[in-house]
Amino acid sequence: MQQSCSSSAKNLCRKLVQVRTRNSIQAAAKTRPICDVFINHRGIDTKRTIAGLLHDHLFRLGLRPFLDSRNMKPGDRLFGKIKPAIGDCKLGVAIFSPNYCESYFCLQELALLMENKKRVIPIFCDVKPSQLQVMDYGIRSGEQLQMFKWALEEAKYTVGLTFDTSKGDWSEFLNSATEAVFKNLVELEAESSNRRSTYILQGRE
């Protein structure tokens, strides 16, 4: 099973490279993206497990994933790095965990992903979608609460992955998550290529 998943991920990786190669002329004039995949997570829950493992696995396969603990250094302003990464990324991965909704920064990142109309893959780690609720502790404005609730609902009603860290197969899950990332990137690259081709054709008419 592991070899099959790994092989599938590599095949998707090759497809992604092929699509990007076809787009190389247009892309050559653009600045190299900060990241391909933005990983949104609650550090105390998943930084040393799912988030870190997924980042490293995607990086080894040639992608440019963004994870705050890997891509930021002491002295960096949080949203000075995070906002450009979200704006530049092609895909978001939101790793929901038991303490996720207690974090302003997690919810703010998720809201930015949704506001920027990024495709997001939700991963429900040790938590059910129905358990995720934005809590009002009296420190957030009504506008912020509405924005966070909207972003959370959008993610909760998106098909994603689930994982139980105490019972699940870590290797199988990592391969499944990686395959999901590559499948979505291939689709997004193809859609982007089609839009560029349509624009070029319309410009010649």
Side-chain angles (χ1 to χ4, degrees):
M1 178 67 177
Q2 181 178 347
Q3 290 180 344
S4 175
C5 290
S6 179
S7 175
S8 177
K10 287 178 181 177
N11 288 334
L12 287 165
C13 184
R14 282 193 287 270
K15 283 186 181 180
L16 185 61
V17 170
Q18 290 169 0
V19 174
R20 286 181 170 175
T21 300
R22 291 198 296 269
N23 298 338
S24 59
I25 295 177
Q26 295 94 330
K30 297 177 69 177
T31 305
R32 182 179 174 85
I34 296 172
C35 71
D36 297 303
V37 184
F38 185 91
I39 301 175
N40 166 243
H41 71 297
R42 183 74 198 270
I44 60 172
D45 289 337
T46 62
K47 179 170 62 179
R48 293 182 177 85
T49 54
I50 285 181
L53 289 170
L54 182 59
H55 171 279
D56 294 348
H57 195 53
L58 295 175
F59 182 79
R60 284 194 294 269
L61 288 170
L63 294 183
R64 295 182 295 275
F66 185 98
L67 184 68
D68 53 9
S69 60
R70 299 282 202 279
N71 296 76
M72 297 179 68
K73 64 183 185 301
D76 285 340
R77 294 183 64 84
L78 281 175
F79 283 102
K81 288 282 187 179
I82 288 172
K83 280 186 178 179
I86 289 175
D88 208 36
C89 77
K90 298 179 179 66
L91 181 70
V93 175
I95 303 175
F96 296 107
S97 54
N99 296 300
Y100 180 95
C101 289
E102 294 179 5
S103 169
Y104 165 85
F105 294 105
C106 287
L107 293 167
Q108 179 68 18
E109 289 173 5
L110 182 64
L112 285 172
L113 284 165
M114 295 302 182
E115 286 181 337
N116 281 273
K117 302 186 185 303
K118 302 297 182 179
R119 186 180 297 189
V120 174
I121 300 173
I123 295 176
F124 301 100
C125 176
D126 296 331
V127 68
K128 296 178 181 179
S130 60
Q131 295 174 308
L132 296 168
Q133 302 290 334
V134 176
M135 304 302 293
D136 183 6
Y137 296 110
I139 58 176
R140 296 165 182 163
S141 68
E143 184 179 353
Q144 278 186 328
L145 284 172
Q146 286 302 114
M147 179 176 65
F148 292 167
K149 287 178 180 179
W150 164 75
L152 189 60
E153 289 301 305
E154 289 289 309
K156 285 165 65 175
Y157 288 98
T158 300
V159 177
L161 301 170
T162 60
F163 186 62
D164 184 327
T165 57
S166 64
K167 301 176 182 177
D169 183 320
W170 283 86
S171 180
E172 182 178 339
F173 170 77
L174 186 60
N175 281 318
S176 295
T178 300
E179 185 174 344
V181 166
F182 273 101
K183 279 184 176 179
N184 278 276
L185 285 175
V186 168
E187 288 180 7
L188 290 167
E189 287 282 356
E191 290 172 6
S192 178
S193 178
N194 290 337
R195 282 196 298 270
R196 279 195 292 268
S197 297
T198 301
Y199 177 78
I200 292 171
L201 288 173
Q202 289 175 342
R204 290 176 178 174
E205 292 177 355

